[in-house]
Amino acid sequence: MPDVVLPALNEARAIPAVVARLPVGYDAIVVDNGSDDDTADVARAHGARVIVESRRGFGAACFAGLVAATADVVCFMDCDGSFDGAELPRVADPVRAGDADLVLGARRADPSAWPLHARAGNRVLAWEMRRRTAMPLRDLGPMRAARREKLLALGLVDRRFGWPLEMVLRAWQAGWRIEEVEVRYLPRLGRSKVTGTIGGTARTVRDMARLLR
């Protein structure tokens, strides 16, 4: 069964519900990326494996979780409650069955879940991705699944917000079969540190635009 990498920065409030919604057999790996709340303790108390990654950055946390994973198939998902872990089989099953190499969760946002500036930034990046690669992708969201060894072989180097885009670009260059399935996107629990802020969205767009160049 898959491992689920959950990059976390001050997500103690969200972790109980996030872990509880994971399907049976999906093992949670919470990567504490410099939290100053009880993220690590809460995660352990709810049965998650905890990895500490001191280097700040979304990509750094995701990579640390990938390295620590032991399952053949690895899923990635935000740890803020904005995704429903019960939907992970929609993303993981095509990879497990050998029908796809990388499956992305295209967000179907609930009202108020996705601020306008973040939605606009994502649309621009997705459009640019379609223009350059001809892949019919609508989203570059963080819920996704792939085989661990194949991901490691891609040689991803971005350790910031460009990690999700670099994964797709390198997978496309390697000839992977990339698919997209629709998943719900919910209002996050607690304070947003990325898409809920204009500054966070700007950093994400900047990192991804650098990769596209």
Side-chain angles (χ1 to χ4, degrees):
M1 298 295 282
D3 284 337
V4 184
V5 175
L6 300 163
L9 175 61
N10 295 331
E11 301 292 3
R13 177 184 171 190
I15 284 172
V18 170
V19 174
R21 291 291 294 170
L22 296 182
V24 174
Y26 281 60
D27 292 332
I29 301 176
V30 172
V31 183
D32 186 352
N33 197 209
S35 301
D36 54 21
D37 66 356
D38 296 327
T39 287
D41 291 339
V42 172
R44 292 189 188 96
H46 286 81
R49 180 182 174 194
V50 175
I51 303 297
V52 176
E53 174 52 64
S54 59
R55 180 179 177 181
R56 284 289 186 95
F58 182 78
C62 288
F63 184 73
L66 175 62
V67 171
T70 57
D72 178 39
V73 174
V74 179
C75 303
F76 297 86
M77 188 178 78
D78 283 353
C79 194
D80 58 8
S82 58
F83 291 98
D84 182 357
E87 292 191 308
L88 278 171
R90 291 175 53 80
V91 179
D93 283 355
V95 177
R96 297 177 67 200
D99 296 328
D101 299 307
L102 174 64
V103 179
L104 309 174
R107 289 169 282 191
R108 183 183 74 254
D110 282 14
S112 78
W114 207 352
L116 180 60
H117 55 82
R119 192 188 301 252
N122 183 75
R123 284 180 177 174
V124 170
L125 289 167
W127 175 84
E128 187 66 21
M129 170 71 78
R130 290 193 299 272
R131 186 181 73 83
R132 291 171 182 250
T133 67
M135 287 189 294
L137 299 181
R138 297 184 291 116
D139 193 6
L140 294 169
M143 182 188 271
R144 51 188 62 195
R147 294 193 183 278
R148 178 180 181 273
E149 293 302 323
K150 293 190 70 171
L151 277 177
L152 289 171
L154 285 180
L156 302 179
V157 297
D158 192 281
R159 296 296 181 262
R160 292 164 52 90
F161 296 123
W163 161 275
L165 176 59
E166 184 188 14
M167 183 188 296
V168 176
L169 286 172
R170 287 185 179 266
W172 171 72
Q173 290 169 343
W176 285 24
R177 296 164 298 165
I178 302 173
E179 296 185 0
E180 199 173 49
V181 297
E182 193 171 83
V183 296
R184 288 186 67 193
Y185 192 56
L186 309 165
R188 63 157 290 137
L189 300 174
R191 182 178 64 86
S192 176
K193 295 169 283 293
V194 184
T195 57
T197 67
I198 293 176
T201 297
R203 290 194 298 273
T204 300
V205 171
R206 183 184 64 227
D207 285 352
M208 291 188 175
R210 172 176 47 80
L211 285 169
L212 285 171
R213 288 195 297 270

